[in-house]
Amino acid sequence: MPLHVPPAPAPALRSVLTALSSPTAVREARTPSLLRAQGPATPELPLPVHVLDRVTAEGVPATRLAGWRFLIRCGERAVAAAETMLTPDGWAFSHFFEGPYITSTEHALRQAETLPQPYQPRLLSVPSLYMLTLWLHEDCTADGSGGHPAATDLLVPLAPAPPGIAAHRPHRVAELLPVLTNRATPTRLLGSPA
């Protein structure tokens, strides 16, 4: 089934396009792949990045939108990513980066496209475990900037995943969340009832 990628805020996309057209921003990024890229670099697949701050006593994951991530494609492959953040003045470019999460994200998205059910892709960061997952939200019409992982949504850990958690293996939120909660530092992920 096709994925239903939520539209990024127009100012977030504009800020990435401006940064890509700025030789200074690209040079200062120090991302070798982006510096060596031949041909035009284009931002694609905007994904909202949510952060899992805590899990309430009722087991509800409390998340917040941290930014939008765009894969930067040059030719046939993604060579880097661009991150945007919300500032008091609106969406702004944050930084370019590269590394294993770029190819892992592409791999997880290709995997998700083969699933029988449509999903809305998002990213969910679990800072206390240094973990990033592809969050496949069942409500394809939802605003990508809001909401919380539903028990039946899927989480696909991206590589590198923490020890004992298999990368690229989809898990229902209801199955993986207790594992994450038990492994995280209690004061960081567990919270009092909201």
Side-chain angles (χ1 to χ4, degrees):
M1 281 281 173
L3 295 175
H4 296 270
V5 179
L13 176 58
R14 277 194 305 274
S15 72
V16 171
L17 290 169
T18 300
L20 279 172
S21 67
S22 164
T24 305
V26 171
R27 229 183 355 267
E28 289 177 2
R30 292 194 170 85
T31 56
S33 295
L34 192 56
L35 288 170
R36 290 189 308 264
Q38 299 293 320
T42 57
E44 295 182 357
L45 291 169
L47 297 173
V49 180
H50 295 261
V51 176
L52 178 62
D53 286 324
R54 63 189 173 89
V55 177
T56 67
E58 295 82 20
V60 177
T63 61
R64 63 183 162 79
L65 179 67
W68 283 80
R69 182 172 296 173
F70 298 78
L71 293 180
I72 305 300
R73 185 166 302 283
C74 188
E76 295 296 314
R77 66 183 191 93
V79 297
E83 191 101 6
T84 63
M85 63 182 179
L86 190 58
T87 69
D89 295 324
W91 288 100
F93 172 75
S94 175
H95 61 281
F96 291 114
F97 65 95
E98 61 182 70
Y101 285 133
I102 307 297
T103 55
S104 186
T105 300
E106 280 191 307
H107 177 78
L109 287 166
R110 282 192 305 272
Q111 260 185 301
E113 287 176 342
T114 67
L115 296 172
Q117 179 179 340
Y119 289 99
Q120 183 188 83
R122 304 170 175 201
L123 294 172
L124 181 66
S125 173
V126 185
S128 61
L129 296 176
Y130 301 100
M131 180 180 184
L132 185 64
T133 70
L134 178 64
W135 166 16
L136 298 173
H137 193 50
E138 284 188 323
D139 183 358
C140 295
T141 62
D143 178 1
S145 63
H148 301 287
T152 55
D153 286 353
L154 295 178
L155 295 177
V156 182
L158 300 180
I165 297 176
H168 299 289
R169 182 171 171 245
H171 301 270
R172 295 263 175 229
V173 168
E175 297 164 357
L176 188 59
L177 193 60
V179 173
L180 301 180
T181 302
N182 289 334
R183 295 184 93 191
T185 305
T187 56
R188 286 190 188 167
L189 193 56
L190 290 177
S192 58

